[in-house]
């Protein structure tokens, strides 16, 4: 209390940033709270897909209808981003990315994780940890490299000197900025949302944060869509034919 | 004092897990409101969307099955027509064969008739010429006989012929018995 009176901002800033619940794996430290929520998210997705698809019928109703709707949505997304010919192979990857991010974001925005106390740090969306988003972004990088090389072989690297050879440095740079921008966009959005909500809650506990939280739900969903769309666009860019 | 309530609630951050029951700390009221809004808003739209999708699929399936039934029906009709056509074809073929045989029979009969007529005609002609020949022969014979008779009559009766004539009459008389 005295701390707060001396420097209220230090108290507020303490809301979440930089606090982690470390797990020791050998000589390696992992963020336990992220893994816990990630497992929860995986459990939700697995459970939903198994419950929804365990008893398939030709006329979908209930959960099967929902899972089919989601699958269709992801297929459409992949089709528009990657193109008619190659998109089917990348639906699983884009679907995984989209669903993981979406469920992570919404679980962070809608579930009262603060009810559960950890020894250190607090539970929140896995995507508000930079490690998760970097992992997803690097997976996307690997994916589009794999897609391009698998389709074109070594000719894939032609694209570094296109449309002109002097653009080589920029094209190489692009391969680094893509995962960087992907990971930071997602991480920044989710973390910023949680921070804003946290600060607002500590200032005005009731009613006022609700619009911001709703906005957070909206941006969370949009960020999942953006990540999946951009991943699809990068893969589509890698497999597209240059003439 | 409310500050203490707000910010000191998490002071018992003990070593280990626990349940935070501080209402303001956990922001549970706002979260409940947000969840309610999201569920009522997104849930309504989503369920409407899903219901639409289900209806579309069911409609499509129904339409497809209806079309399948229609196609089956048409197939059946076509099969029936084919059957009828086949029957008609066989009928026509049979009739054709029947007509052909009839025609052949007619032809054969006419032929035979003509043949018999020709045969008859031949017989008649042959008979006619035979009779003609016979007549000529008779005429010739009779004329010869008549000339001999005339000659004989002109020459008159001598003794031998007299005897012959008498004998002829005598023999006729002897043969005569009333």
């Amino acid at each position: 209390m005295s701390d707060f009176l001396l420097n209220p901002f230090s108290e507020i800033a303490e809301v979440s940033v930089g606090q982690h619940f470390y797990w020791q794996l050998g000589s390696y430290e992992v963020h336990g709270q992220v893994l816990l929520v990630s497992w929860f998210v995986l459990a939700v997705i697995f459970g939903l897909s198994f419950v929804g698809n365990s008893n398939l019928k030709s006329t979908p109703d209930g959960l099967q209808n929902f899972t089919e709707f989601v699958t269709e949505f992801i297929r459409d997304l992949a089709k528009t981003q990657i193109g008619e010919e190659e998109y089917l192979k990348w639906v699983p990857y884009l679907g995984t990315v989209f669903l993981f991010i979406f469920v992570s974001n919404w679980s962070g925005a809608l579930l009262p994780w603060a009810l559960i106390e950890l020894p250190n740090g607090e539970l929140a969306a896995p995507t508000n940890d930079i490690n998760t988003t970097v992992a997803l972004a690097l997976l996307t990088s690997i994916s589009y490299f794999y897609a391009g090389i698998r389709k074109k072989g070594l000719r894939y690297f032609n694209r570094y000197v296109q449309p002109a050879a002097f653009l080589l440095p920029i094209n190489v740079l692009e391969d680094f900025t893509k995962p960087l921008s992907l990971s930071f966009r997602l991480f920044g959005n989710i973390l910023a949302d949680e921070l804003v909500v946290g600060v607002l809650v500590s200032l005005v506990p009731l009613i006022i944060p609700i619009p911001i939280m709703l906005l957070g739900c909206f941006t969370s969903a949009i960020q999942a869509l953006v990540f999946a769309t951009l991943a699809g666009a990068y893969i589509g860019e890698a497999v597209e034919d240059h003439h | 004092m409310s500050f203490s309530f707000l910010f000191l609630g998490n002071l018992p951050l003990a070593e280990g897990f626990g349940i935070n029951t501080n209402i303001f700390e956990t922001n549970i009221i706002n979260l409940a409101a947000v969840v309610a809004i999201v569920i009522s808003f997104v849930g309504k739209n989503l369920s409407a969307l899903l219901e639409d999708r289900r209806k579309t699929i069911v409609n499509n399936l129904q339409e497809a099955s209806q079309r399948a039934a229609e196609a089956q029906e048409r197939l059946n009709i076509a099969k029936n027509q084919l059957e009828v056509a086949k029957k008609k074809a066989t009928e026509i073929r049979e009739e054709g064969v029947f007509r052909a045989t009839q025609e052949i029979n007619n032809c054969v009969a006419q032929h035979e008739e003509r043949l018999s007529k020709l045969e008859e005609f031949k017989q008649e002609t042959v008979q006619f010429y035979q009779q003609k020949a016979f007549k000529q022969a008779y005429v010739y014979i009779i004329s010869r006989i008549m000339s001999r008779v005339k000659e004989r009559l002109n020459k008159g009766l001598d003794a031998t012929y007299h005897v012959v004539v008498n004998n002829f009459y005598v023999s006729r008389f002897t043969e005569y018995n009333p």
Side-chain angles (χ1 to χ4, degrees):
Chain A
M1 170 130 188
S2 54
D3 242 15
F4 177 73
L5 290 178
L6 287 175
N7 186 359
F9 293 104
S10 71
E11 275 294 326
I12 292 164
E14 197 227 25
V15 170
S16 68
V17 188
Q19 293 293 316
H20 295 299
F21 172 40
Y22 287 106
W23 281 348
Q24 201 82 26
L25 284 183
S27 62
Y28 199 68
E29 275 185 335
V30 294
H31 295 171
Q33 88 276 16
V34 175
L35 288 185
L36 283 175
V37 185
S38 296
W39 292 338
F40 170 78
V41 168
L42 294 186
V44 167
I45 295 174
F46 271 92
L48 211 64
S49 41
F50 279 118
V51 171
N53 299 324
S54 57
N55 184 19
L56 291 176
K57 279 170 278 183
S58 53
T59 51
D61 35 36
L63 268 182
Q64 191 196 336
N65 195 5
F66 177 67
T67 52
E68 278 181 10
F69 175 72
V70 172
T71 314
E72 241 168 42
F73 174 76
I74 293 163
R75 276 175 64 123
D76 282 351
L77 181 92
K79 199 192 271 179
T80 48
Q81 293 304 325
I82 301 179
E84 296 274 346
E85 297 144 23
E86 307 264 343
Y87 80 96
L88 264 184
K89 269 178 276 177
W90 294 100
V91 169
Y93 174 68
L94 293 185
T96 309
V97 165
F98 174 76
L99 285 179
F100 179 71
I101 296 174
F102 182 78
V103 177
S104 295
N105 292 352
W106 270 36
S107 74
L110 294 177
L111 296 181
W113 289 114
L115 277 178
I116 300 165
E117 272 182 3
L118 296 181
N120 197 17
E122 59 183 18
L123 293 172
T127 39
N128 91 359
D129 192 282
I130 186 76
N131 298 301
T132 314
T133 60
V134 165
L136 290 167
L138 285 180
L139 276 178
T140 304
S141 286
I142 293 169
S143 297
Y144 77 72
F145 267 101
Y146 169 75
I149 289 171
R150 201 177 83 131
K151 176 151 186 227
K152 302 181 191 165
L154 287 178
R155 278 189 306 111
Y156 168 71
F157 295 103
N158 269 348
R159 80 187 192 125
Y160 286 110
V161 290
Q162 284 194 350
F166 71 88
L167 290 174
L168 176 71
I170 293 175
N171 282 330
V172 173
L173 195 63
E174 211 178 26
D175 278 334
F176 292 96
T177 56
K178 273 174 184 170
L180 212 61
S181 66
L182 271 183
S183 57
F184 273 96
R185 181 184 307 110
L186 182 57
F187 166 69
N189 268 287
I190 303 308
L191 183 70
D193 176 55
E194 295 205 352
L195 280 184
V196 167
V197 171
V199 169
L200 216 56
V201 165
S202 57
L203 289 177
V204 194
L206 284 179
I207 312 299
I208 304 298
I210 289 177
I212 304 296
M213 288 164 85
L214 287 173
L215 188 71
C217 284
F218 179 68
T219 47
S220 298
I222 293 296
Q223 285 313 311
L225 184 66
V226 163
F227 197 105
T229 308
L230 279 176
Y234 293 157
I235 292 168
E237 205 176 58
V239 298
E240 111 188 305
D241 286 310
H242 291 290
H243 300 293
Chain B
M1 272 303 111
S2 67
F3 284 127
S4 70
F5 185 57
L6 266 177
F7 291 109
L8 299 184
N10 65 347
L11 266 189
L13 244 177
E15 300 294 310
F17 299 89
I19 302 291
N20 193 346
T21 49
N22 185 322
I23 288 174
F24 293 104
E25 180 79 19
T26 55
N27 194 20
I28 198 91
I29 295 171
N30 291 335
L31 270 176
V34 168
V35 167
I37 292 170
V38 166
I39 284 177
S40 67
F41 207 72
V42 176
K44 206 172 61 189
N45 285 327
L46 193 68
S47 55
L49 215 63
L50 290 180
E51 186 56 30
D52 256 23
R53 182 176 181 277
R54 198 183 68 79
K55 268 183 192 160
T56 314
I57 288 172
V58 167
N59 277 351
N60 283 350
L61 282 179
Q62 269 176 355
E63 226 167 82
S65 56
Q66 201 177 327
R67 269 194 216 150
E70 269 174 31
Q72 187 66 37
E73 208 170 306
R74 263 187 237 153
L75 179 70
N76 283 344
I77 290 173
K79 266 187 183 169
N80 283 348
Q81 278 177 351
L82 178 71
E83 209 62 36
V84 169
K86 263 188 186 170
K87 218 178 268 177
K88 264 189 189 168
T90 44
E91 263 174 34
I92 287 171
R93 193 181 300 151
E94 274 171 13
E95 208 180 289
V97 169
F98 176 68
R99 283 229 183 122
T101 45
Q102 219 172 16
E103 202 70 20
I104 288 169
N105 286 347
N106 270 357
C107 274
V108 168
Q110 277 181 1
H111 214 70
E112 275 171 2
E113 207 178 331
R114 262 182 220 161
L115 274 179
S116 63
K117 267 186 188 167
L118 277 174
E119 187 69 25
E120 217 173 298
F121 184 63
K122 190 182 91 183
Q123 294 291 346
E124 273 175 15
T125 318
V126 167
Q127 230 170 351
F128 174 70
Y129 279 105
Q130 246 175 359
Q131 276 173 359
K132 211 174 159 186
F134 279 140
K135 232 183 243 175
Q136 275 179 348
Y138 292 154
V139 168
Y140 176 69
I141 289 167
I142 287 170
S143 67
R144 280 289 301 269
I145 289 170
M146 291 306 281
S147 62
R148 286 279 296 273
V149 168
K150 237 183 228 171
E151 200 183 314
R152 185 67 64 196
L153 284 179
N154 284 342
K155 258 195 239 167
L157 269 174
D158 56 5
T160 46
Y161 279 108
H162 201 163
V163 172
V164 170
V165 171
N166 283 351
N167 284 348
F168 178 70
Y169 281 114
V170 168
S171 66
R172 294 279 300 266
F173 275 123
T174 53
E175 276 167 19
Y176 176 75
N177 44 350

